[in-house]
Amino acid sequence: MVMGATAVVAVVLVAAGLAVLMSLRANLTEQAQNQANDTARSVALGVATWRGGGARLSLPEGVPVQVTDEHDQLLAVGPGLESISGTGVSAVRVSRPAASPSPSPSPTPVAGRNAEPADNHGGGHGRGRGRGGDSGSDDHQTDDRATPRASDPAVGTIDGKARESSGRAVIDGRSAPYRFATVEATDLGGRTVLVHAGASLAARETAVRSTGLAMLAGLPLVLLVVGGVTWLVTRRALAPVEGIRREMAAITTSEDLSRRVPEPASRDEVARLARTTNETLTALEAAVDRQRRFVADASHELRSPIASLRTQLEVGSAHPQLLDVPGAVKDTERLQHLAADLLLLARLDAGERPGQGRVDLGALLREEVGRRPADRTPVSVEVGGGGRCEVTGSRSQLARVIGNLVDNAQRHARTRVAVSVRRQDERIVLTVADDGAGVPAAERERIFERFVRLDDARARDDGGAGLGLAIARDVARRHGGTLTAGEAPSGGALFVLRLPVAEGGDSRANATATATSENAQEPSAG
C-alpha cells in the first residue's frame, strides 16, 4: 500500500515537474522573443529616423543585429557578431569601414559604435524581393530609386509587425541559441531596409537546466518523506483494524462468543466495522445459545417417552400379562410427533423455502378440522367472503400451522373452539379462538419460543413438547406472514395468522363469483 502510494506520488510529481519545466521554458522563450522584438523595433526606428550627415548609426553591443536591404544585401552588422543563422542572411567579419545604409545620392560611411562594417563581397545574396534593379554596395550606389510598394512602411517609419524565428549566433566567440525578430523600416531617403535583431536564450537554458536538476535532486527526498508519512498514517489508521483482527482470532481460538472486539471512539468506517462485528458476534452467540438450549430441551423431551417406553417393554418382557400396550403406543406416537417436529425445525433453520403453489386456506381449514376425532372439543369453522382465500406456499407446512393452532386451542379450551378465515385488504386472516384461561399479556411472545410451556400448560399437558407454536410462527414468517397471540372475546386465547394474498387471487375470486352468479340465474331444464 505504501509502495503504491509512493509510486503514484512519484508519477504525479514527475508529471507536475515536466509541466513546470515546459511552462518555464515557454515563458522564458516568450520573454526573449519580446526582448528581440523591442531591440529590432528600436534599431529599425533609429534607421528610419537617421539623417546621415556623417553621423554614425548606433547598434547595440552584445546583441546579434543585421541591417539589410530588401534583396538581403547586408548593409551593417552589430559589433562582435561572427556568425548567425535563422535570419536568412549570413554575416562575416571584415576589416574596412562599413558603407552607409542610407540611399542618399552621395554615399556616407556609417557604422555603429564598435559595429562591424559589412563585407560586400561576403554579404548575403539577394532573394528577389521584387523592388527591381541591383542593390550593390554603397560604394557603387547610384541615384536610381526602386519603385516603393504599397506594403512598405511610410518614409521615416517602421512596420508595426515583426517576423519571428529561431537560430544561433556567435558573438565574440560565444555561441548561443537566439530568438530573432525582423522589422521593416523606410529611412528618410525612401529606401526600405530590414533590421534583424536577436535575444539570447542562454538564460532560458540555464534556468530550465538548473530547475530540472533541483527537481531531480529533491524528488528522492520528497518520495522518502511521502513514503514515511504514508506508512505512519496507514499504520495508525489500521491499528484499530489490527485490534479487531487479533480479538477475532482470540475468539476463534477460545470459542468464547461472549467476548467483543474493541470499538474505536471515532465515527469512521473502522468504528462502524467494529460495531457491526460486535452485532454479528451477539447474534452468533444468541444463535449458539438457542441451539444449545434446543439440543438440551430436545434431549429432555426425548428422554421421558423413551424411558417410559423402555420401562413398559422391560415389564412386558418379564411379565407379559402386565404389558401396557396402549401406553406404549401412546409413547411411540409422542416420539414420532416429536421427531417430525424436530425434523421440520431443522429444515426451517436450514433456510428451506416454501413452495410456490396456490393453496385455498378455507378448503385446507375444513379438511384439517374434518380429520379431528369427534371426542375432542368441538371446532366451529367459518369461511368469510364466499370466495376462495388463496395464498402461495407449501400446502403441507400450512396444514401443519392450522393443525398446531387447533391442537393448542383444543388442549386449553373448556367447551368450544372457533376458527375463521377471511380476506382483509391484501391479506388472508385466519383466527383460532378458545374459551380457556387465555395467555397472560406478558407471556404472549414467550410462548412462541421453542420448548416453552407455561406452568398451567405443563400441568394439563397431554404430550405436547412446546414446539407447536414455535413451528407455526416460523412457517408463517417463511410464507411472508405473521402469527400473533391475543385475547379472544370469550376471555380465552386468540391466535391470528396473516398471510399475503396469492398473486392473481382477485381475478380468480371474481371469476368464481361470476360463474356462481351465472349458474344461479340459469333456468332449470325441463
Side-chain angles (χ1 to χ4, degrees):
M1 183 175 180
V2 175
M3 295 298 295
T6 305
V8 171
V9 172
V11 172
V12 172
L13 289 179
V14 169
L18 292 177
V20 170
L21 292 178
M22 293 176 63
S23 176
L24 177 63
R25 182 183 180 89
N27 289 335
L28 293 178
T29 301
E30 184 179 1
Q31 291 179 9
Q33 186 64 61
N34 292 336
Q35 182 180 355
N37 293 345
D38 293 341
T39 302
R41 290 190 180 99
S42 177
V43 174
L45 186 61
V47 172
T49 58
W50 184 65
R51 296 181 178 276
R56 301 177 67 85
L57 179 64
S58 176
L59 298 179
E61 298 181 2
V63 178
V65 176
Q66 293 176 307
V67 181
T68 66
D69 63 10
E70 288 188 302
H71 298 285
D72 291 339
Q73 184 67 37
L74 187 64
L75 303 178
V77 296
L81 182 62
E82 298 177 5
S83 66
I84 189 171
S85 63
T87 62
V89 179
S90 300
V92 297
R93 186 186 301 274
V94 295
S95 59
R96 61 186 182 83
S100 169
S102 171
S104 56
S106 58
T108 304
V110 178
R113 184 178 65 241
N114 301 324
E116 297 289 346
D119 184 358
N120 292 332
H121 299 284
H125 298 288
R127 289 182 296 182
R129 294 175 57 86
R131 293 294 302 266
D134 253 348
S135 181
S137 68
D138 287 333
D139 293 338
H140 302 87
Q141 187 177 5
T142 66
D143 291 341
D144 296 337
R145 297 290 190 270
T147 304
R149 296 179 303 173
S151 60
D152 290 340
V155 175
T157 62
I158 66 174
D159 190 357
K161 295 181 179 180
R163 298 195 301 272
E164 301 174 353
S165 60
S166 298
R168 299 188 65 86
V170 178
I171 298 179
D172 295 332
R174 293 189 296 270
S175 175
Y178 283 85
R179 288 290 297 178
F180 293 103
T182 302
V183 177
E184 292 186 2
T186 301
D187 61 11
L188 297 177
R191 185 170 67 172
T192 299
V193 297
L194 301 178
V195 176
H196 309 279
S200 176
L201 294 177
R204 181 196 71 177
E205 300 299 326
T206 302
V208 171
R209 186 183 305 106
S210 60
T211 303
L213 292 177
M215 289 182 176
L216 289 177
L219 181 61
L221 179 61
V222 172
L223 293 180
L224 182 62
V225 172
V226 170
V229 172
T230 303
W231 182 79
L232 291 176
V233 172
T234 303
R235 183 180 178 85
R236 183 173 181 179
L238 295 181
V241 178
E242 176 61 19
I244 294 173
R245 187 203 65 79
R246 286 197 303 266
E247 187 63 24
M248 289 296 296
I251 292 174
T252 302
T253 303
S254 64
E255 298 183 359
D256 182 8
L257 296 179
S258 62
R259 301 174 62 171
R260 297 293 180 266
V261 300
E263 294 187 14
S266 59
R267 297 183 178 180
D268 54 8
E269 292 79 1
V270 177
R272 290 195 291 271
L273 172 63
R275 285 192 292 271
T276 302
T277 302
N278 285 335
E279 292 172 359
T280 303
L281 289 173
T282 301
L284 182 60
E285 181 184 14
V288 171
D289 290 342
R290 185 169 59 251
Q291 188 69 20
R292 289 172 179 171
R293 290 196 305 269
F294 174 77
V295 172
D297 292 337
S299 300
H300 176 75
E301 293 295 334
L302 288 171
R303 184 176 58 183
S304 297
I306 290 176
S308 175
L309 182 59
R310 178 179 178 179
T311 300
Q312 295 178 40
L313 292 177
E314 289 177 350
V315 171
S317 177
H319 307 282
Q321 69 278 8
L322 299 179
L323 179 61
D324 183 9
V325 176
V329 172
K330 183 177 181 180
D331 288 338
T332 304
E333 290 178 351
R334 183 179 178 184
L335 283 173
Q336 181 181 3
H337 294 159
L338 182 57
D341 289 344
L342 294 175
L343 178 60
L344 179 57
L345 284 174
R347 289 161 54 190
L348 293 175
D349 289 340
E352 178 180 335
R353 300 181 63 85
Q356 298 299 315
R358 305 175 72 91
V359 180
D360 185 354
L361 210 59
L364 183 61
L365 174 61
R366 292 192 182 95
E367 181 180 340
E368 286 298 315
V369 172
R371 295 177 180 176
R372 301 269 149 185
D375 59 345
R376 302 189 66 178
T377 305
V379 179
S380 63
V381 177
E382 179 184 356
V383 179
R388 298 168 62 88
C389 299
E390 290 188 338
V391 297
T392 302
S394 169
R395 181 180 180 85
S396 61
Q397 292 184 8
L398 292 175
R400 176 67 68 89
V401 172
I402 295 174
N404 289 353
L405 293 178
V406 174
D407 283 341
N408 182 75
Q410 287 183 319
R411 186 178 300 118
H412 298 88
R414 293 190 180 93
T415 58
R416 67 184 183 87
V417 175
V419 184
S420 67
V421 61
R422 69 186 185 281
R423 174 168 179 167
Q424 184 179 11
D425 297 332
E426 297 300 319
R427 296 275 174 172
I428 302 298
V429 180
L430 183 144
T431 61
V432 179
D434 62 67
D435 58 354
V439 181
E443 303 289 346
R444 289 174 184 169
E445 282 298 317
R446 182 169 171 267
I447 60 174
F448 290 105
E449 297 179 7
R450 298 175 182 181
F451 297 106
V452 170
R453 289 176 290 177
L454 303 183
D455 293 339
D456 181 62
R458 289 183 181 274
R460 302 180 52 190
D461 194 11
D462 60 352
L467 293 176
L469 295 179
I471 291 175
R473 172 167 277 190
D474 283 351
V475 172
R477 288 176 174 173
R478 293 295 192 280
H479 285 74
T482 60
L483 177 61
T484 57
E487 183 177 356
S490 61
L494 173 66
F495 291 90
V496 181
L497 172 67
R498 291 181 174 85
L499 297 174
V501 177
E503 295 182 2
D506 290 339
S507 59
R508 287 200 175 193
N510 295 336
T512 301
T514 302
T516 303
S517 175
E518 291 177 353
N519 292 335
Q521 294 177 5
E522 288 182 358
S524 58

